[in-house]
Amino acid sequence: MSYTTRGIEWAEELVEGSIPPEGSFEPFNYVDDWDFETTPNVDERVVVGGGRDARKRALAEIESGGRLTTELTSAKFFKYVLGSISSHDLDPYTIGIAGSLPTFTIKRGLATPYNILYYYGCKVDSARLRIEVGEPVVLEINFVARNSSLDTSSSYTAPDLDFDLVPFYFYHLKTMRNSSTLSGVQRLEIEINNNLEAEWDADSTRSQPREASRIREKELRVTGRLVVREGIETLMDLARNNTQFTLTAELATSSKTITITMPNVMFTRIPDTGRGMDVYEVEFPFIAGPKEGLDSIEIVEEGNTWLNDRA
């Protein structure tokens, strides 16, 4: 069983924790890898009596979630990372921070034999955008789900992908500090962490009492890393003086532009390492915070509507 037919699809849930209708799923266009897991926890305790191996076992809560890596073709999935969107059917659209996140279902399909897993009630726990010289722009998504459901009776056909859709690459990036363009950028990583927490209720009337009752958002944190080979002294001074600034990452092709703005960024360390005659470069870790009237991060896409985009 090689399962050469395979696909990863997703759909926003109309009702939180309920698998959407079959026709509403759409594919992640370029998934590199996935790593999903469901853990039916067992409460195991040593009890008095019997031999040294006397242990009591009982079913406990179910935990589910995973990680997938996809090559970036649009800002579409950032709606589920941050929660707020200005419009689904207008160009441009803006994605920002909301108090709660929308939920979605991930469908993982294999054939043959048919093996379809639905991870439902999902929310994005964290997402990492990585832009590195020589590589496509990659979005790594970590999600928490309420549970998963296995379907082996339905047939599965892999979704059609749009192979004419070119993912963003490192050479599409322009990085700016305030209004100045940075030179010699080798890597930029931006991580958004929603710090989700799954919660359970003691309620036997629920259809799945062992799965999480809800997934709660806690404090949102935006961090990142910037690796440069030029202008190092200026950035070191910014770090040394705890200077706050606006960091903007613009990804632009001939047909689409994604602009990521963090209005209040501060470097947290000044690493200084080298090896032999390797090119000297410095990785500056940073944190991003809000500014009066502005969120810690905002993402704008121009060139398509959210509905017509592919994640």
Side-chain angles (χ1 to χ4, degrees):
M1 293 185 295
S2 58
Y3 293 113
T4 53
T5 298
R6 56 186 66 181
I8 307 290
E9 303 169 60
W10 66 278
E12 185 168 330
E13 294 176 348
L14 303 176
V15 178
E16 184 173 335
S18 296
I19 298 173
E22 197 56 41
S24 59
F25 285 88
E26 59 181 279
F28 290 97
N29 207 65
Y30 295 128
V31 173
D32 288 340
D33 59 80
W34 82 87
D35 183 7
F36 304 159
E37 183 174 37
T38 299
T39 305
N41 289 313
V42 175
D43 180 32
E44 185 178 59
R45 305 188 187 195
V46 177
V47 295
V48 177
R52 289 193 301 119
D53 59 348
R55 292 177 179 270
K56 179 273 301 179
R57 292 176 181 172
L59 301 178
E61 70 275 6
I62 292 175
E63 296 179 282
S64 191
R67 176 196 60 79
L68 67 86
T69 303
T70 180
E71 297 179 20
L72 192 74
T73 58
S74 75
K76 185 165 190 171
F77 208 76
F78 280 103
K79 171 186 173 181
Y80 303 93
V81 178
L82 293 174
S84 168
I85 185 168
S86 61
S87 172
H88 291 91
D89 55 2
L90 293 178
D91 174 17
Y93 62 85
T94 300
I95 294 173
I97 298 171
S100 60
L101 298 172
T103 61
F104 56 93
T105 293
I106 287 183
K107 174 184 178 182
R108 193 277 292 136
L110 299 173
T112 50
Y114 299 120
N115 179 320
I116 304 172
L117 263 172
Y118 296 92
Y119 295 86
Y120 57 86
C122 298
K123 289 185 178 181
V124 174
D125 186 31
S126 66
R128 177 180 297 168
L129 184 69
R130 186 175 72 250
I131 308 165
E132 185 168 6
V133 168
E135 299 290 337
V137 179
V138 169
L139 179 63
E140 180 184 290
I141 301 162
N142 292 274
F143 67 91
V144 178
R146 286 196 185 186
N147 203 348
S148 61
S149 176
L150 176 63
D151 178 5
T152 58
S153 61
S154 301
S155 61
Y156 180 74
T157 302
D160 291 327
L161 304 182
D162 183 0
F163 289 104
D164 292 328
L165 190 60
V166 179
F168 287 97
Y169 267 76
F170 71 96
Y171 50 79
H172 293 130
L173 174 69
K174 179 170 72 172
T175 310
M176 289 172 286
R177 177 182 64 84
N178 297 330
S179 58
S180 300
T181 301
L182 297 180
S183 301
V185 174
Q186 299 298 300
R187 187 173 78 248
L188 174 63
E189 291 186 5
I190 301 171
E191 182 166 358
I192 302 165
N193 194 331
N194 286 305
N195 287 293
L196 298 181
E197 183 175 58
E199 297 179 338
W200 285 262
D201 292 335
D203 184 359
S204 65
T205 65
R206 296 173 58 229
S207 60
Q208 294 286 342
R210 295 177 61 207
E211 72 180 31
S213 305
R214 69 195 66 83
I215 298 170
R216 184 169 65 89
E217 300 84 355
K218 297 170 69 177
E219 70 281 358
L220 183 143
R221 184 172 173 82
V222 181
T223 59
R225 297 173 183 274
L226 176 67
V227 179
V228 296
R229 290 181 175 177
E230 298 178 17
I232 292 171
E233 294 76 17
T234 299
L235 300 184
M236 282 183 168
D237 282 340
L238 292 174
R240 196 177 307 279
N241 296 318
N242 298 124
T243 303
Q244 301 177 25
F245 56 91
T246 297
L247 185 63
T248 305
E250 181 183 282
L251 292 163
T253 66
S254 59
S255 60
K256 182 183 295 184
T257 300
I258 298 174
T259 304
I260 303 171
T261 304
M262 293 167 283
N264 192 352
V265 167
M266 180 186 296
F267 292 133
T268 57
R269 286 193 297 116
I270 313 173
D272 182 22
T273 61
R275 176 170 179 161
M277 293 302 296
D278 289 352
V279 176
Y280 182 72
E281 60 185 27
V282 178
E283 177 182 274
F284 291 93
F286 64 82
I287 55 174
K291 199 171 183 178
E292 185 175 359
L294 299 171
D295 290 336
S296 299
I297 187 169
E298 181 182 83
I299 301 172
V300 178
E301 180 181 303
E302 184 175 0
N304 206 350
T305 66
W306 186 89
L307 287 172
N308 290 329
D309 263 336
R310 281 244 178 156

